[in-house]
Amino acid sequence: MNRKDFYYELPQELIAQDPLEDRSSSRMMVLGRKDASITHRAFSDLPDYLRPGDCLVINNTKVIPARLFGIKEGTQAQIELLLLKRREQDLWETLVKPGKKARTGTKISFGGGILMGEIVDIIEEGTRLIRFQYKGIFEEILDRLGEMPLPPYITHRLEDKQRYQTVYAKEEGSAAAPTAGLHFTPKLLDKIRGMGVDIAEITLHVGLGTFRPVKAENILDHTMHSEFYQIEPAQAAVINRAKDKGGRIIAVGTTSTRTLETAADQTGHVTAGCGWTQIFIYPGYQFRCIDALVTNFHLPESTLVMLVSALAGRENVLHAYEEAVRERYRFFSFGDAMLVI
């Protein structure tokens, strides 16, 4: 299967640069899995497509302010750092710009020395291992010095950090937001619960590997980076109970989908626990757990478009994306939503 099979034309002006004032006022395209039907609604209409007994599964990961700006000791050169994954307490996998100035042994000062980092190794694809030294609590220092790691296609400055968090974010550890969840408000979640729809919380800490471009011509040659996930026993029970009673499992986002499909057995029931997932879902994949998906509109040729295509069919998804372009939907992280059902 070729990477180019998942390409579509996207005008730059359709890439959303700012979040809407009201999270749930975004548009929502509803794509029917069985008949490829397309309906244009508002995200606040999502309850119209839910039934008592369904289970909505959300990813409660919280984005950390993972972008740091520092000074290289000795040369005073400016260094930009992006935290990707915590290996140990003070040892992180990071991306560093410019990479040529970040050799092993390089020491970097952040915030005038409040935080110090030393590059201890260079691993795959130029990722650096950095060990930090500081006094106090690392998370508090990071909250003081760090910025939200917005994707490169967003060029506007984000005034309110909380707009790149879901309203239910609680487990710190992501380098990027699970953006399908950005559309929910507490009021909308309460309405959904009031309908008799269960809401289960799981955790997948989003790494930038999810968003790395697929460079291989044949997508089967693409290697997914690993991401940490966790499903608590009580939440697994909620999901499995809905499954046993014939309710639909509706994943909010590709991150929730990947977590559920990693943890599911052949019957579609999920096992509580934690670990690392490298699951790569593309057309031909047989879904075991989820029945429907709330998602955003994703980058051309990305693994995320491939995942949605696995659920709804490649031709159906690309046709829907062409329709979204014609209808001037807003794309990517701060953009509009799609419900595949």
Side-chain angles (χ1 to χ4, degrees):
M1 197 171 298
N2 200 294
R3 181 190 74 219
K4 294 177 182 177
D5 293 337
F6 300 90
Y7 179 79
Y8 68 92
E9 291 282 351
L10 178 66
Q12 284 289 113
E13 66 268 19
L14 295 185
I15 299 174
Q17 293 296 318
D18 303 290
L20 296 178
E21 186 172 343
D22 175 7
R23 291 172 181 258
S24 65
S25 66
S26 60
R27 298 167 74 187
M28 180 176 72
M29 174 184 285
V30 182
L31 175 61
R33 292 178 61 189
K34 293 182 179 179
D35 59 3
S37 61
I38 293 176
T39 309
H40 302 291
R41 302 290 295 269
F43 193 80
S44 55
D45 296 329
L46 177 63
D48 292 350
Y49 294 89
L50 305 179
R51 302 192 292 256
D54 286 345
C55 181
L56 195 71
V57 183
I58 59 179
N59 181 5
N60 65 11
T61 189
K62 189 173 185 178
V63 185
I64 60 174
R67 178 165 277 122
L68 289 163
F69 297 90
I71 300 294
K72 179 181 176 182
E73 282 200 340
T75 66
Q76 299 299 299
Q78 293 187 337
I79 298 286
E80 181 181 339
L81 199 72
L82 185 63
L83 304 180
L84 298 180
K85 183 193 298 182
R86 194 177 219 154
R87 285 275 191 97
E88 301 169 8
Q89 179 60 29
D90 296 319
L91 186 67
W92 286 78
E93 290 183 20
T94 67
L95 290 178
V96 181
K97 291 196 308 186
K100 291 181 180 179
K101 297 180 180 179
R103 298 184 176 90
T104 302
T106 297
K107 294 182 178 180
I108 308 169
S109 170
F110 304 93
I114 295 173
L115 179 67
M116 297 294 300
E118 180 179 354
I119 298 174
V120 296
D121 199 5
I122 300 175
I123 51 181
E124 76 277 357
E125 295 189 26
T127 305
R128 267 69 172 170
L129 280 183
I130 294 186
R131 189 176 300 281
F132 290 105
Q133 291 183 326
Y134 51 90
K135 291 181 180 179
I137 300 172
F138 182 78
E139 285 75 16
E140 291 181 356
I141 294 171
L142 189 62
D143 193 54
R144 178 177 168 187
L145 300 180
E147 295 185 5
M148 278 299 182
L150 295 179
Y153 48 75
I154 295 177
T155 59
H156 291 189
R157 182 178 177 81
L158 182 64
E159 298 299 332
D160 180 1
K161 285 184 180 181
Q162 293 308 308
R163 295 311 309 272
Y164 196 56
Q165 302 279 19
T166 62
V167 296
Y168 45 77
K170 62 176 69 169
E171 301 294 338
E172 291 190 337
S174 273
T179 54
L182 295 178
H183 304 283
F184 286 92
T185 64
K187 182 179 179 181
L188 182 59
L189 290 167
D190 287 343
K191 181 176 181 179
I192 290 169
R193 288 190 186 95
M195 296 171 56
V197 175
D198 288 322
I199 298 179
E201 295 187 18
I202 60 177
T203 304
L204 182 134
H205 292 321
V206 188
L208 293 190
T210 298
F211 306 102
R212 284 187 188 273
V214 178
K215 297 179 181 178
E217 290 276 330
N218 186 337
I219 68 169
L220 300 183
D221 295 329
H222 176 71
T223 301
M224 292 287 286
H225 284 59
S226 61
E227 294 171 314
F228 179 80
Y229 76 90
Q230 183 163 358
I231 303 176
E232 297 290 349
Q235 303 303 313
V238 171
I239 297 165
N240 291 336
R241 183 169 61 246
K243 179 73 74 172
D244 288 338
K245 292 184 177 180
R248 297 172 300 175
I249 307 302
I250 300 160
V252 176
T254 57
T255 59
S256 296
T257 300
R258 295 176 68 243
T259 303
L260 291 170
E261 293 299 314
T262 296
D265 61 21
Q266 292 301 321
T267 69
H269 293 75
V270 298
T271 302
C274 62
W276 296 87
T277 179
Q278 285 183 287
I279 190 170
F280 181 15
I281 298 175
Y282 51 85
Y285 178 85
Q286 297 298 310
F287 286 87
R288 296 181 291 192
C289 184
I290 78 160
D291 301 292
L293 170 66
V294 177
T295 190
N296 278 21
F297 291 93
H298 305 293
L299 277 74
E301 300 182 350
S302 65
T303 60
L304 307 181
V305 167
M306 295 170 192
L307 183 152
V308 179
S309 296
L311 183 64
R314 185 184 69 87
E315 291 184 1
N316 294 340
V317 169
L318 290 180
H319 173 69
Y321 271 56
E322 290 170 1
E323 175 83 358
V325 169
R326 283 194 297 271
E327 294 293 327
R328 310 295 289 178
Y329 273 70
R330 300 165 73 248
F331 279 67
F332 305 164
S333 297
F334 287 141
D336 294 317
M338 173 186 276
L339 172 64
V340 180
I341 199 163

